[in-house]
Amino acid sequence: MNDSTRTHVTGTVLVITIDRPQARNAVNAEVAQGIAAAVDRLETDPALRVGVLTGADGTFCAGMDLKAAARGEQVTVPGKGFAGLTEARTAKPLVAAVEGHALGGGFELALACDLVVAAEGARFALPEVKRGLIAGGGGVVRLPKRIPHHLAMELLLTGRTVTAQRACDLGVVNRIAPDGQALPAALELAEEIAANAPLALAAVKRTVRQADGAPESEAFAAQATEIGALLRSADFAEGVRAFAERRAPEWSGR
C-alpha cells in the first residue's frame, strides 16, 4: 500500500480505505495504484473472501483529483481503469461503504462494487456534464444498466446530487446505515457473503457478467458451464455434507 490507501483484514474481509481526507479522498496516481494493489491482494490471497471499499474521515471519494490530473498524474491503471478499479474484472465480491460524498469518480467507484451501503447523510452525483465532460469511469456505461433508463439519463444529463435515500429508492444502494456506521453495516453484509462458498461466489459474478447483453440461450449455456464445474468441486460436496450433518460448512475453495 501507500500513504493514500490503507488496508486491514477483518476475518476473511479486506477493508480498503482511501486515505486522503485533506483532498476529500480524491483520486490521484497514488490512490489509483493503492486501490489496484489492494484489489490484487484481495484476488490472490485465498484467505480473503470479500473486499470492502471505503473512505477516511467521513467522506467516500470526491472523484478525480483535478489538480493531480493537471500535473499529468495518471489516475487510471492499465487494464483496471479509473482509480485502479472501474474496469477491473474482479472474481471476489466488493462492497462499497459510503459516508459523505460519492461524487463523479467516487460514485463510479461505488458502481464498480457489487453492493453499496450508504450512511443516511451520503450524497451521490455524476456532475461531469457541468464541467464539459461525461462520467467516463463507468457512470455512463453502468448507471443505465442499474436503474431505469429515464432516471439514469436524468442524473447523467443534469449532474444533480441525490441523497442516500433517493439512491436507495432508485436501487443503487442496498442498505442505509446511520451516519458513521456505513463501514460496520458493510462489514456485516460482507461477512454474510463471506460465509458462502468462494467458488460459487466467483461463479455468480462471472455468470452475471457473461449474461449482460447476451442472448438468453448464450447466458444459459454459460451458466450451465459454471454449474457443471461447481458440481464437481470439493466445496459442493462439503456443502451437501454440512447440510446433512446440520453444521456450518468448511470451504476449501476447491
Side-chain angles (χ1 to χ4, degrees):
M1 295 307 98
N2 53 49
D3 291 340
S4 295
T5 312
R6 52 186 168 85
T7 61
H8 72 272
V9 175
T10 300
T12 59
V13 178
L14 180 68
V15 179
I16 306 164
T17 303
I18 304 171
D19 195 7
R20 291 189 74 213
Q22 75 283 2
R24 296 197 301 163
N25 298 324
V27 177
N28 62 359
E30 194 172 63
V31 169
Q33 292 295 333
I35 293 176
V39 171
D40 284 344
R41 177 186 175 188
L42 173 66
E43 292 289 284
T44 57
D45 188 339
L48 299 173
R49 302 281 177 82
V50 182
V52 172
L53 177 65
T54 193
D57 288 6
T59 294
F60 184 66
C61 176
M64 180 173 62
D65 186 329
L66 297 177
K67 293 180 181 178
R71 292 193 297 268
E73 291 191 24
Q74 290 297 315
V75 295
T76 62
V77 175
K80 292 183 170 67
F82 172 73
L85 179 61
T86 60
E87 296 176 44
R89 295 177 72 83
T90 57
K92 296 181 182 178
L94 280 168
V95 183
V98 180
E99 297 274 356
H101 289 95
L103 305 178
F107 192 178
E108 291 172 314
L109 281 175
L111 289 171
C113 294
D114 301 294
L115 302 98
V116 180
V117 175
E120 291 173 346
R123 297 293 183 267
F124 298 81
L126 294 168
E128 284 82 354
V129 290
K130 295 177 180 288
R131 303 292 180 264
L133 294 172
I134 65 171
V140 172
V141 172
R142 289 195 170 105
L143 192 62
K145 296 179 180 180
R146 307 290 170 79
I147 67 176
H149 172 85
H150 293 109
L151 298 177
M153 293 301 287
E154 182 179 348
L155 296 185
L156 289 166
L157 295 175
T158 65
R160 181 180 303 142
T161 299
V162 296
T163 65
Q165 185 60 60
R166 178 58 175 159
C168 189
D169 292 342
L170 290 173
V172 172
V173 168
N174 295 79
R175 296 183 183 179
I176 295 179
D179 287 340
Q181 296 300 305
L183 180 55
L187 283 170
E188 181 181 343
L189 186 56
E191 287 163 2
E192 182 180 355
I193 294 166
N196 296 318
L199 291 179
L201 297 176
V204 167
K205 291 196 63 169
R206 283 193 301 270
T207 303
V208 169
R209 277 197 296 262
Q210 291 166 342
D212 183 23
E216 195 172 85
S217 59
E218 291 181 15
F220 273 100
Q223 177 179 272
T225 299
E226 295 287 353
I227 291 173
L230 291 173
L231 288 172
R232 295 188 295 273
S233 71
D235 273 355
F236 174 68
E238 166 62 7
V240 172
R241 281 195 303 271
F243 177 79
E245 295 169 8
R246 298 183 179 180
R247 60 173 174 80
E250 298 179 6
W251 307 118
S252 65
R254 299 194 302 274

